[in-house]
Amino acid sequence: MATDETTSKEQTGSISSVLSEKRKFPPSAEFSKNAHITSMEEYEKLYAAAAADPDKYWGDLAEKFHWFKKWDSVLDWAPPYAKWFSGGKTNICYNAVDVHAKSWRKNKAAIIWEGEEGPQRVLTYGELHRQVSKFANVLKIAGIRPGDRVAIYMGMVPELIIAVLACARVGAVHNVIFAGFSAHAISERVNDSRAKMVICADGTRRRGGSINLKNIVDEAIVNTPSVRSVIVLKVTGEKVHMHDGMDHWWHDLMGLAMDECEPAEVDAEHPLFVLYTSGSTGKPKGILHTTAGYMVHAANSFKYVFDIKDEDIYFCTADVGWITGHSYMAYGPLLNGATILMYEGAPNYPQWDRFWDIINRHKVTILYTAPTAIRAFIRAGNEWVTKHNLDSLRLLGTVGEPINPEAWMWYHRIVGQERCPIVDTWWQTETGGIMVSPLPGATPTKPGTATRPLPGIMVDVVRKNGDPCEANEGGYLVIKKPWPSMLRTIYGDNARYEKTYWSEFKDMYFTGDGARKDEDGYIWIMGRVDDVVNVSGHRLGTSEVESALVSYEAVAEAAVVSRPDDIKGNALVAFVTLKDEYVGDMNLREALRNHVAKEIGPIAKPDEIRWAKGLPKTRSGKIMRRLLRELATSNEVKGDVTTLEDFGVLENLRDQEDD
Ligand code: WTA
């Protein structure tokens, strides 16, 4: 390799980008004609106006909500601490529910729920208003005051959204804990946020069985002195132990509560929720979001990215336990008066066609899911999808990880029938809402890129010293201006907030992601910078090598990591999951190595390929490359595995004898 190039790369701290994807898909004339934003010219104009006068841009958007008192200033910025809409008073629950319940939408479906075993429930905006108001009264009677933290640990049932909204209504701070987490993880989160109450269910259904959530809560709250009471919703009817004085049934309390409750008039910066996200080391970070700024961006980004119309039925497959569930399952859609399809269970229950069956039966128009699910569907086979009529779909979305171009093409062809635009949305728990995404009626898409930032969002790709990268030069993804739904801090730990996000680059928020901007200004995410591998002096984003592997017919999913190598510095190890009908052998290994050499270049050829029945993932579906790195290096895993979803997969990934 040319040493000059290597040295200069190390100096600027850039990352080599090797993936070249040239396909481009403009929206159809018909889609554009009916969209909220109809052309790139319109987008460019909006973007330029927002960049020139951000206060006016965000201020105008905020005008659309109900305020008990208008704000004095749009933004007070004392880096890295922001206050949005200071002096204003509002309530996000009022804007998400009451506004619609008082309008013609009173009898419109807010939530269409389908249980795993098939039962259906429909909550109109009027009914949602009644339930939320009642439960808000329950919270008040239980002594919950504005600012108190309330932990919520439930499966995907409408009451989960009711509990979240009721907290917001009384000014309490919700802390939703994904129902797959252990007792230890609950105690850690409840203690860090010093929650006064836990709302849970007796159990949750999973693939025909059930998990007793109440038992897990019982185990957790032995170690949580701040908790005064537990409210238990009956979902599965399983046996639970109710502790006198501490535990109360949801239905008993609701039976006593009045169904009218004035919303609390909270300050714009009143804390709305804490949501924990795993740190790469140490304890989870409690990401704190506040009321008005979050409301403005969650609602507005939802409207434009999903091009939402009153007729739409919007199906988001994320759990409310994740930020996607907060912003685009609950708040974003409800603030727009949209109809949400909420599904309780697993995508492969009773069979691999559950999502497609739901889409067909409910005539879903918009589907928002994750690359990990898409890759699982590819592996299971096209026939599960194609046997259902998906003509109702008009728009598809993805979030959570880089989507490999071949997985994008599959989503486009098999699910979208080459008719539906795909919005690949880049954002984070910390950003609160979508930052980079196509606007479906305007932006020509390319498989594998989240395209351009939304108006008002100033993202850039920079070198280690903070200088902007050139087109197609890989670097670090940063955000250069505050935005309304940004995290305000890490709960109780300002020092960690400053260090994690604001110390790497001067006056810029560091996302932790590697990326490049192409000649059209499109952002290509190359994965977390911790996942960058250095081979013979070239720093490669693992996601690009993975995408090359996934573009081979037999491959469903791949994860690439490096291990130290005496000669090359680092060697590449690929963990590959094949589609169900293929078997891994020596010939396929060689074919794959050659395929990567052809797609990217010999430098990216994996030195070792291990067949994987499954890959280790977090509970939200992200591949845990850190564990694979340990496996590839020492053949054992010693690091923290508490966020790992399925422990069995690690066993299968140790050294493999040749086939
Ligand atoms: C990754 C999820 C590529 C990224 C909303 C980010 C993505 C992290 C995309 C945040 C995307 C999310 N393309 N990568 N469209 N969306 N990511 O906090 O690495 O669970 O930093 O928020 O997921 O994950 P989080």
Side-chain angles (χ1 to χ4, degrees):
M1 287 310 119
T3 21
D4 282 358
E5 193 188 304
T6 309
T7 327
S8 80
K9 283 237 164 69
E10 264 157 22
Q11 275 163 2
T12 59
S14 65
I15 303 168
S16 302
S17 173
V18 284
L19 188 77
S20 73
E21 170 61 62
K22 299 283 178 231
R23 290 169 288 198
K24 207 167 182 173
F25 298 85
S28 70
E30 203 200 328
F31 193 100
S32 296
K33 191 174 79 199
N34 298 312
H36 292 310
I37 306 284
T38 59
S39 68
M40 270 322 249
E41 292 73 58
E42 204 180 334
Y43 160 78
E44 300 282 9
K45 246 168 90 181
L46 257 176
Y47 194 87
D53 191 350
D55 278 15
K56 176 166 171 25
Y57 177 75
W58 295 115
D60 285 353
L61 291 175
E63 295 277 1
K64 296 181 183 140
F65 297 86
H66 179 86
W67 294 83
F68 300 108
K69 176 177 173 287
K70 199 181 158 169
W71 59 91
D72 303 319
S73 59
V74 173
L75 170 65
D76 298 334
W77 180 223
Y81 296 97
K83 286 192 183 140
W84 284 87
F85 309 108
S86 272
K89 282 193 187 293
T90 186
N91 184 294
I92 191 171
C93 173
Y94 184 90
N95 278 287
V97 181
D98 301 43
V99 164
H100 309 303
K102 286 180 184 174
S103 77
W104 68 266
R105 291 197 184 98
K106 180 170 186 280
N107 295 322
K108 176 179 172 174
I111 302 172
I112 301 172
W113 178 83
E114 179 165 312
E116 206 179 57
E117 297 299 341
Q120 319 261 329
R121 284 168 64 189
V122 178
L123 270 86
T124 61
Y125 274 95
E127 181 59 14
L128 184 64
H129 179 248
R130 216 172 71 83
Q131 299 276 338
V132 168
S133 302
K134 267 170 94 95
F135 196 65
N137 282 327
V138 167
L139 293 177
K140 280 187 176 172
I141 294 165
I144 296 300
R145 302 275 167 265
D148 286 346
R149 275 80 53 208
V150 173
I152 304 177
Y153 183 70
M154 299 165 93
M156 285 280 281
V157 289
E159 284 78 4
L160 170 53
I161 295 182
I162 291 170
V164 160
L165 291 167
C167 285
R169 191 170 193 85
V170 303
V173 183
H174 54 80
N175 167 14
V176 183
I177 302 170
F178 174 61
F181 276 123
S182 63
H184 170 73
I186 300 174
S187 318
E188 198 175 23
R189 287 158 174 74
V190 166
N191 285 335
D192 189 71
S193 63
R194 279 170 287 122
K196 211 164 156 186
M197 173 189 273
V198 177
I199 303 169
C200 69
D202 54 351
T204 183
R205 292 182 197 89
R206 206 63 187 166
R207 290 199 183 90
S210 72
I211 302 163
N212 189 313
L213 298 179
K214 176 65 168 56
N215 284 349
I216 300 173
V217 169
D218 287 347
E219 193 186 329
I221 65 165
V222 172
N223 303 311
T224 56
S226 59
V227 175
R228 309 249 185 90
S229 55
V230 178
I231 298 182
V232 188
L233 175 77
K234 192 172 266 190
V235 173
T236 55
E238 57 204 273
K239 203 166 156 14
V240 295
H241 186 70
M242 298 294 279
H243 301 89
D244 269 354
M246 178 71 140
D247 300 347
H248 309 273
W249 285 110
W250 173 294
H251 56 260
D252 286 344
L253 300 175
M254 285 291 262
L256 303 171
M258 311 269 280
D259 57 9
E260 271 180 37
C261 173
E262 284 302 311
E265 301 185 6
V266 299
D267 287 337
E269 280 296 334
H270 187 74
L272 176 64
F273 65 86
V274 182
L275 184 60
Y276 285 83
T277 173
S278 49
S280 46
T281 53
K283 63 173 192 166
K285 299 176 286 203
I287 304 300
L288 177 73
H289 284 285
T290 58
T291 301
Y294 174 82
M295 171 172 81
V296 168
H297 188 59
N300 187 60
S301 57
F302 180 77
K303 174 173 174 187
Y304 289 103
V305 170
F306 295 101
D307 189 48
I308 198 74
K309 307 282 165 49
D310 263 312
E311 301 74 29
D312 279 313
I313 296 187
Y314 164 84
F315 179 18
C316 169
T317 68
D319 193 285
V320 178
W322 310 118
I323 190 68
T324 305
H326 281 57
S327 302
Y328 299 111
M329 174 87 195
Y331 287 117
L334 296 174
L335 286 162
N336 281 280
T339 298
I340 305 164
L341 190 294
M342 180 181 201
Y343 167 57
E344 179 182 36
N348 57 350
Y349 185 80
Q351 306 189 98
W352 270 109
D353 63 344
R354 186 60 184 265
F355 283 6
W356 322 115
D357 182 38
I358 288 176
I359 291 169
N360 177 28
R361 275 186 291 105
H362 294 279
K363 301 293 171 242
V364 167
T365 58
I366 303 171
L367 171 68
Y368 192 31
T369 192
T372 181
I374 295 168
R375 294 185 305 247
F377 292 128
I378 296 176
R379 186 179 176 188
N382 296 356
E383 58 284 0
W384 292 114
V385 188
T386 52
K387 74 186 217 199
H388 294 282
N389 180 344
L390 303 182
D391 287 353
S392 59
L393 283 174
R394 66 179 195 91
L395 178 61
L396 306 174
T398 134
V399 59
E401 282 181 292
I403 180 164
N404 314 114
E406 284 317 308
W408 192 102
M409 287 304 298
W410 181 91
Y411 200 27
H412 169 71
R413 285 203 190 109
I414 307 298
V415 181
Q417 300 165 359
E418 304 187 12
R419 177 188 73 240
C420 305
I422 296 178
V423 288
D424 174 356
T425 61
W426 178 88
W427 58 296
Q428 307 178 298
T429 306
E430 291 86 343
T431 69
I434 295 171
M435 305 295 274
V436 182
S437 168
L439 294 175
T443 318
T445 52
K446 305 181 198 179
T449 163
T451 77
R452 304 270 303 265
L454 297 186
I457 304 298
M458 304 293 142
V459 302
D460 205 355
V461 178
V462 299
R463 297 176 180 161
K464 249 211 150 75
N465 66 5
D467 290 345
C469 287
E470 285 165 24
N472 289 316
E473 180 191 354
Y476 304 85
L477 188 70
V478 296
I479 306 170
K480 291 184 159 171
K481 284 267 162 65
W483 66 102
S485 63
M486 64 193 280
L487 78 162
R488 297 302 192 265
T489 189
I490 292 176
Y491 194 79
D493 198 346
N494 285 350
R496 192 173 179 198
Y497 167 70
E498 290 172 17
K499 180 162 183 297
T500 311
Y501 305 107
W502 299 95
S503 66
E504 204 78 26
F505 300 98
K506 193 173 165 349
D507 294 337
M508 299 181 213
Y509 167 89
F510 179 43
T511 63
D513 283 353
R516 75 180 157 97
K517 224 193 297 184
D518 73 11
E519 57 288 351
D520 295 328
Y522 283 29
I523 308 276
W524 296 75
I525 305 293
M526 293 155 75
R528 306 290 299 167
V529 288
D530 305 345
D531 294 332
V532 165
V533 294
N534 194 323
V535 183
S536 307
H538 286 263
R539 306 183 67 222
L540 304 173
T542 46
S543 76
E544 298 192 321
V545 187
E546 290 160 6
S547 287
L549 287 164
V550 173
S551 71
Y552 196 77
E553 174 59 25
V555 177
E557 188 159 51
V560 172
V561 297
S562 69
R563 68 167 154 70
D565 181 272
D566 290 344
I567 297 158
K568 300 166 80 175
N570 284 292
L572 286 185
V573 182
F575 293 83
V576 172
T577 305
L578 297 174
K579 289 183 191 159
D580 283 350
E581 64 270 31
Y582 291 89
V583 193
D585 60 15
M586 281 300 279
N587 291 339
L588 187 51
R589 274 206 179 97
E590 226 15 63
L592 273 177
R593 284 166 45 82
N594 292 334
H595 178 71
V596 174
K598 189 171 115 262
E599 289 289 300
I600 296 183
I603 171 141
K605 242 180 170 178
D607 298 274
E608 192 185 324
I609 292 180
R610 295 195 195 178
W611 308 120
K613 282 204 195 77
L615 296 171
K617 293 191 182 160
T618 63
R619 288 157 213 261
S620 69
K622 291 190 214 301
I623 298 170
M624 293 178 82
R625 293 183 186 75
R626 174 173 60 81
L627 300 188
L628 293 173
R629 226 164 15 238
E630 283 186 62
L631 266 181
T633 307
S634 64
N635 214 31
E636 57 184 330
V637 171
K638 295 206 191 90
D640 179 21
V641 290
T642 47
T643 52
L644 178 66
E645 201 212 355
D646 174 4
F647 289 89
V649 298
L650 282 183
E651 254 334 288
N652 295 320
L653 296 176
R654 292 176 205 280
D655 253 348
Q656 288 172 7
E657 296 297 318
D658 257 334
D659 327 284

